[in-house]
Amino acid sequence: MAKIIDGKAIAAKIRGEITAEVAKLAASGVTPGLAVVLVGEDPASKVYVSMKEKACKDVGIFSDEYKLPADTSEKDLLILIDKLNHDPKIHGILVQLPLPKQIDTEKVLEAISPEKDADGFHPYNVGRLVIGKPLFQPCTPYGVMVMLKEAGVELAGKEVVVVGRSNIVGKPVAFMCLQQNATVTLCHSKTRDLAAKVGMADVVIAAVGQPEMIKGAWIKEGAVVIDVGVNRVGEKKLVGDVEYAAAAERASAITPVPGGVGPMTITMLLYNTLESAKRR
Ligand code: NDP
């Protein structure tokens, strides 16, 4: 039976370390600051934003919230970002996605100063990640890497199979594993014989967004399984992208959903904000 990689416990440990570092920095006169921008009324986005605000408060990071109406123009949003880029109290800027249709998301992400890009989505930071010289690393994949490290999983020479190639999870986590000297296979919806690809993996990282589509029977005996997926089934139940119970029978270690990768994402946002303040 697989060991459970407990994201909540790892996140709590790291948040404790962040709290101590924030206090130390504050004593020297710098309080890390994160600006969180929410446009519109998307219910899931509202929940994420309030979780981020609370997390900042808990570790002593100053958070400045901007809640803008759904009909905000792209121009007004860009003006706000420019103001935040120049605000010395702010070390990280986060624009909650998705944005309303009238706003070009790429334009907005590129307007954020690369030096305050706490989400790591600016092309400058994506490029630095690809060449192995990261500045800000995107929070969810960064959280995955920290979990692997905390679980004692050595990646050098291992076969890592990532399922999902989004810009926010699949692609960056693949480059991060490559940087750790893994041999990486990046799968997507056009990949042929996914079961065979997953079956050769020493480490499987699932970021698909489809409930339990990666079957437990595909997992190689002793593999490590990291499940980024969060899928709501029915009223209240959350499941990952991996068929958990069956996969846990074969894996050596596995992340649960919920309580796996989820708690790490906001933790790494706090970490990115702290590191940015330290660089200033
Ligand atoms: P996207 O929808 O952006 O990407 C999904 C990827 O999965 C795409 O690359 C797609 O391929 C691929 N895919 C879809 N169907 C299949 C299939 N049948 N076989 C193989 N690949 C397939 O999702 P995200 O990366 O944004 O998110 C993935 C999951 O992670 C979601 O459940 C999301 O909720 C969760 N998530 C969790 C976070 C956390 O904090 N825990 C943070 C971010 C995301 P193609 O490119 O060909 O379309």
Side-chain angles (χ1 to χ4, degrees):
M1 198 63 182
K3 182 183 106 181
I4 291 172
I5 305 176
D6 183 344
K8 263 198 216 160
I10 298 170
K13 176 183 158 223
I14 295 172
R15 287 190 197 196
E17 292 165 4
I18 292 172
T19 307
E21 285 218 45
V22 169
K24 222 161 73 185
L25 203 59
S28 72
V30 181
T31 299
L34 177 71
V36 181
V37 182
L38 172 67
V39 187
E41 301 287 331
D42 179 67
S45 294
K46 277 179 155 173
V47 173
Y48 291 138
V49 163
S50 63
M51 283 165 70
K52 287 167 188 175
E53 288 162 4
K54 180 177 180 305
C56 282
K57 212 177 201 178
D58 288 349
V59 300
I61 289 178
F62 163 70
S63 84
D64 205 2
E65 296 112 42
Y66 294 85
K67 293 185 175 145
L68 309 179
D71 61 357
T72 299
S73 70
E74 184 180 286
K75 188 171 165 227
D76 284 347
L77 182 55
L78 292 173
I79 290 170
L80 171 62
I81 289 172
D82 187 55
K83 190 185 116 197
L84 296 171
N85 282 342
H86 293 95
D87 184 341
K89 293 193 304 301
I90 296 301
H91 306 95
I93 301 171
L94 179 144
V95 177
Q96 184 66 42
L97 302 180
L99 289 168
K101 283 190 194 64
Q102 74 275 15
I103 297 174
D104 179 344
T105 301
E106 269 180 40
K107 212 170 180 181
V108 170
L109 295 181
E110 289 188 31
I112 296 171
S113 162
E115 290 174 355
K116 296 191 178 186
D117 176 32
D119 256 340
F121 293 159
H122 191 289
Y124 173 85
N125 284 315
V126 176
R128 289 196 67 128
L129 183 75
V130 172
I131 62 169
K133 292 190 164 52
L135 183 64
F136 285 103
Q137 306 191 58
C139 302
T140 300
Y142 200 0
V144 168
M145 300 312 284
V146 170
M147 290 180 98
L148 287 167
K149 185 159 178 252
E150 290 285 327
V153 180
E154 170 61 53
L155 289 177
K158 298 277 172 63
E159 299 286 341
V160 173
V161 171
V162 179
V163 190
R165 58 171 163 182
S166 72
N167 289 335
I168 62 166
V169 190
K171 275 184 212 163
V173 88
F175 279 104
M176 289 173 181
C177 291
L178 188 62
Q179 190 62 24
Q180 301 287 318
N181 298 314
T183 302
V184 182
T185 305
L186 185 49
C187 302
H188 48 78
S189 67
K190 305 291 186 290
T191 296
R192 277 183 288 169
D193 202 357
L194 184 64
K197 304 276 189 305
V198 170
M200 71 179 192
D202 301 310
V203 178
V204 180
I205 301 174
V208 185
Q210 288 182 25
E212 300 193 328
M213 65 86 61
I214 294 174
K215 301 301 167 202
W218 300 355
I219 304 294
K220 185 167 85 174
E221 283 288 341
V224 173
V225 177
I226 306 288
D227 192 348
V228 182
V230 182
N231 308 288
R232 191 166 291 280
V233 289
E235 277 291 290
K236 289 222 170 82
K237 198 172 172 221
L238 289 182
V239 300
D241 291 341
V242 179
E243 196 189 15
Y244 181 83
E249 297 277 326
R250 302 172 66 85
S252 60
I254 189 165
T255 60
V257 177
V261 177
M264 294 302 294
T265 298
I266 295 183
T267 304
M268 300 323 291
L269 173 70
L270 303 173
Y271 182 81
N272 278 349
T273 307
L274 167 66
E275 288 299 301
S276 177
K278 284 206 275 185
R279 280 196 289 268
R280 286 278 144 157

